[in-house]
Each structure stands twice: as structure tokens, then as C-alpha cells.
């Protein structure tokens, strides 16, 4: 007898904006004063990846660290994005936490249990699911409070300066980081710059300006939309569709895949485990590209399925499956078969692209191939600049499809923090590069 997974839409409805008790000196915003001129390590970006690296370095005893972020608070871009979408729960389960591997620390699950009284009955059941080793759903609210706690207890916030880094210039014994007016000379630099939204292909509309009534998934939705068109097949698109339906709009959902794909995680779960990473490690560059294509496909959490199917059955949702878009204009999405879908607003959710360090590092240092940087697989240092490392989506071709996920940051952080700490404490040169199989 097979077991049927029963999706529960109410899991998506965790409350947002609760008060979480934090030790008094904690939290706060990034600094605006002059940062130090030198540091053992500079971390660019304080999203979940930068936070994980900073916490791990703190445990390694590397405390002379400067962090830069364009935003004002740890993981600000991540929470702004999920809040813009109205996303109330994470896709990744409790064990995919940004804490430091191998150290006694308060992990995400511990934090949720410590705040038991603040959790709803549904959220408590998910904690128990995680304790029993099952897939669990984590409230965004719990994750945000936890990130603030990690940032505070590992002294991240007080070492974060709000500034946009515009150049990272590797030298023989140090790396110069230029951020606005500031210049910091660091022994090591870790780039944790995340992903940018994928833009619409050239030719979807004339000129550089997005047409009136067309927006991307990470921009605020206008009110009073009667007929919404959503383009894209992933979780962000599903949130836009669900929000449109909840707001009373009729929704057209357009994607080129032949059908929507419902999955717990966006990446096959084996890639979160050593055996999946080994499978990735042991193949050629071309086969890795194939695995990335095959296992990084757009999908939607199971919990959306009943609501979306119901809306399609009653005609409030029209799903245009297998339809490639050729053009977008005000109130219109044109399709490859020559037809068009009409509405009064268009929302584009075309995914994200890793920021691999180009525009910051000299082009020859990035060594881009098929859109990926040339990284040492063991330390995740740039092969041509061994004092500069990448953690996050940019490490995809070294770590596999889970690199952009919170759990991938944990794996990457363990390698990078160990390499940086070794370099800082010993002053020793870093390990030589290991070539990718087949390169
Ligand atoms: C809507 C959404 C939901 C997601 N949900 C999940 C989930 O549930 N589970 C999961 O595992 N993954 C999820 N992901 C994937 C997610 O992108 C990553 O888990 C996580 O946000 C990536 O963290 P990061 O630190 O690499 O990037 P980001 O969170 O994007 O952080 C990068 C930071 O770098 C800063 N920065 C970039 N360039 C510069 C510069 N030049 N100067 C200064 N600062 C700079 C940015 O301001 C930003 O704060 C989700 C992604 C999205 C978009």
C-alpha cells in the first residue's frame, strides 16, 4: 500500500510580525560611521549566507571582521523579498539553519522550542515533526527572529556597515574592498552577494523601461487589480497567483512548462546530503551543467495545490500551460502560438541569477565559464584570487544545485570559514586549486 502525502494549505498561514524577546544589546541597524582601514576578513553581503560565514568565523576565533551590506539590517533583502510576496513560511525545513556547523550553538529548532509559548498549535506540530525526523515547515517569523539572534550573539550587527561595495581588488598579500567612500584592506574577502532577479529577455518590450502595468515579483503589487496575469512556474509565481485570487482578481497563470510541478523543496533532497554532493563532485563540467538544468527546475510547495486546483475548477484561475511568452505590454502577454492573454496587470516571476562577482572583481579573476566563476572546489576561493571566496548561489558549480539554499550556505560556510581561519591564524598560503573533473 502506498502512502499519499497530504498537503495542508493552512501551513502557509503562519502569523507575521510577532514580538520576539531578544537580549537587550541585540538587534539594531548597520553602522554609518567610518569602518576600520584594515580587517582580517571582509564579508560582502549580510544575507543568510553572509550571516552564516560571520557566525562561523566568530566560532573560529576570527573576530576582526568587517561586513558590508547595501541594506540596513541582517538578511534584510531576503525578508523584504518574502514579505513582498506575502510568503509566511520557508520552503526549507528546520534542520536547514544558518548556524555554525560543528559548534555548540542555538540552532533554529532550539530557538523555536525556546519560544514555544509564542508558536501557534500548527507551528508546534511542525516543530514536533522536525524532532521526529519528518519534513517540517518553518515560519518566516521564527526564522527572522532567529537570524536577529544569530546576528546579535555573534556580534555581526555591530560590525556591519551600510555601504554598496563597488570594487574588490585582490593583491598579493591583501585584498582592497571599496565600498562607497570607504576602503578596507583585508587579508581575506568572502562574497555573499546572493542572486539578482532574472530580467525579461530583450525583445519582450521595446526600450529599457518596463511597460506601464508590468512589474517583477520583488516589486510591490498595486491595489484594485481585477484581472491579473502571472508569468513563471515557481514558488514566487504561485504566491503572486494566490495573492491575486485572495484579493478577488481573476488570474491567468502563464508558463512554458507542460504542467505545474509540486515539490517540497526546489532542489531534489539528495543534493542536500553528502551522497548528492558526491554525485555532483564526481562528474564532468558538462554533466554538472546537465544536473543543474535537471534539478533546479521551477516548482511550487505542495500546500498550494488544493487552493490552485479549486480556483482553476471554478474558473477564477486560468492556467496557460506549455506557453512560451514572446512579448509583454500594458495589459497584454503575447504567446509563441500567436495568441495573447489580456488583463489589467502583469506580474513577472522569471527566477533569479547568481551574482558571481563580476563588476566587483576584475573579469580575468572571475574566469566566468557558462555564467559560473572559476572556484577552487575545496575552499571555494576564486582560483585566480585565493584570498577571495564565494558563498551562496555563486558556488553552484562547485557545490551542486543546493548551493543557493540556506542549507547550501551551511556546507559552503564550513569550508570557507575553515580556510579563512587557517589563513588568519597561521598566516599560511591557502591550498592549491583542485581542477574540476573534465576541465
Ligand atoms: C522569495 C524567496 C524565498 C526563498 N525561500 C527560501 C527558503 O525557504 N529556503 C531556502 O533555503 N532558500 C530560499 N530562497 C533562496 C534564497 O535566495 C537563499 O536561501 C538566501 O536568501 C540567499 O542568501 P544570500 O545571503 O546568498 O543572498 P541574499 O539574501 O540576497 O543576501 C545578499 C546580500 O548581499 C547584499 N549585497 C549584494 N551586493 C552587494 C554589494 N555590491 N555591496 C553591498 N551589499 C551587497 C544584498 O543587499 C543582500 O543583503 C528563497 C529565495 C527567494 C527569492
Amino acid at each position: 500500500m502506498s502512502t499519499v502525502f497530504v498537503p495542508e494549505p493552512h501551513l502557509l498561514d503562519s502569523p507575521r510580525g510577532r514580538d520576539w524577546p531578544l537580549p537587550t544589546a541585540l538587534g539594531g541597524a548597520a553602522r554609518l560611521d567610518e569602518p576600520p582601514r584594515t580587517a582580517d576578513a571582509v564579508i560582502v553581503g549580510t544575507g543568510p549566507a553572509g550571516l552564516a560565514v560571520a557566525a562561523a568565523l566568530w566560532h573560529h576565533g576570527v573576530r576582526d571582521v568587517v561586513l558590508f551590506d547595501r541594506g540596513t539590517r541582517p538578511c534584510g533583502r531576503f525578508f523584504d523579498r518574502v514579505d513582498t510576496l506575502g510568503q509566511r513560511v520557508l520552503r526549507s525545513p528546520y534542520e536547514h539553519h544558518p548556524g555554525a556547523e560543528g559548534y555548540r550553538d542555538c540552532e533554529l529548532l532550539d530557538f523555536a522550542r525556546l519560544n514555544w509559548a509564542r508558536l501557534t498549535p500548527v507551528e508546534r506540530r511542525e516543530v514536533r515533526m522536525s524532532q521526529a525526523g519528518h519534513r517540517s515547515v518553518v515560519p518566516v517569523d521564527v526564522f527572522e527572529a532567529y537570524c536577529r539572534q544569530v546576528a546579535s550573539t555573534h556580534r555581526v550587527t555591530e560590525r556591519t556597515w551600510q555601504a554598496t561595495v563597488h570594487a574588490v581588488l585582490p593583491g598579493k598579500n591583501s585584498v582592497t574592498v571599496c565600498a562607497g567612500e570607504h576602503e578596507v584592506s583585508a587579508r581575506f574577502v568572502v562574497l555573499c552577494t546572493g542572486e539578482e532577479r532574472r530580467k525579461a529577455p530583450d525583445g519582450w518590450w521595446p526600450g529599457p523601461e518596463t511597460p506601464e502595468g508590468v512589474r517583477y515579483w520583488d516589486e510591490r503589487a498595486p491595489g484594485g487589480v481585477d484581472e491579473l496575469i502571472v508569468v513563471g512556474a515557481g514558488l514566487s509565481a504561485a504566491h503572486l497567483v494566490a495573492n491575486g485570487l485572495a484579493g478577488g482578481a481573476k488570474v491567468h497563470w502563464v508558463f512554458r512548462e507542460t504542467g505545474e510541478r509540486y515539490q517540497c523543496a526546489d532542489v531534489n533532497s539528495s543534493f542536500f546530503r553528502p551522497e548528492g554532493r558526491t554525485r555532483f563532485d564526481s562528474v564532468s563540467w558538462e554533466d554538472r551543467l546537465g544536473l543543474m538544468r535537471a534539478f533546479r527546475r521551477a516548482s511550487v510547495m505542495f500546500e498550494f495545490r488544493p487552493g490552485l486546483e479549486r480556483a482553476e475548477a471554478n474558473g477564477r484561475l486560468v492556467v496557460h500551460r506549455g506557453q512560451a511568452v514572446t512579448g509583454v505590454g500594458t495589459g497584454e502577454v503575447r504567446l509563441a502560438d500567436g495568441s495573447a492573454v489580456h488583463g489589467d496587470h502583469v506580474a513577472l516571476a522569471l527566477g533569479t541569477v547568481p551574482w558571481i562577482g563580476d563588476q566587483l572583481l576584475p573579469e580575468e579573476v572571475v574566469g566566468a565559464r557558462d555564467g559560473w566563476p572559476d572556484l577552487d572546489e575545496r575552499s571555494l576561493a576564486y582560483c585566480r584570487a585565493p584570498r577571495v571566496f564565494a558563498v551562496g548561489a555563486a558556488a553552484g558549480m562547485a557545490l551542486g544545485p543546493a548551493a543557493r539554499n540556506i542549507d547550501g550556505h551551511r556546507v559552503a560556510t564550513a569550508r570557507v570559514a575553515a580556510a579563512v581561519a587557517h589563513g588568519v591564524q597561521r598566516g599560511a598560503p591557502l591550498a592549491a586549486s583542485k581542477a574540476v573533473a573534465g576541465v
Side-chain angles (χ1 to χ4, degrees), residues 63 86 95 120 124 149 170 178 182 214 250 267 276 327 362 370 395 397 406:
R63 307 279 164 90
E95 62 272 23
T120 66
R124 290 178 188 172
Q149 151 113 352
C178 309
H182 315 303
V214 179
K250 176 172 179 173
V267 173
D370 301 316
M397 282 300 274
I406 294 164

Side-chain angles (χ1 to χ4, degrees), residues 84 302 384:
T84 301
F302 275 112
R384 290 159 226 188

Side-chain angles (χ1 to χ4, degrees), residues 45 47-49 69-70 77-78 91-92 163 165 194 355 404 406 409:
D69 199 288
R70 286 191 292 230
R77 176 157 84 168
F78 179 72
R91 200 169 192 182
S92 44
V165 173
W355 190 357
R404 74 179 281 249
I406 294 164
H409 306 338

Side-chain angles (χ1 to χ4, degrees), residues 12 14 18 49 123 145 149 155 181 194 226 255 273 276 284 315 324-325 330 345 363 419 434 437:
L12 299 169
S14 276
R18 277 165 279 189
E123 292 170 340
Q149 151 113 352
R155 304 287 178 253
E181 313 272 281
D226 292 324
F255 48 82
R273 297 193 296 267
S284 70
V325 172
T330 301
H345 190 78
E363 209 176 299
K434 184 184 116 199

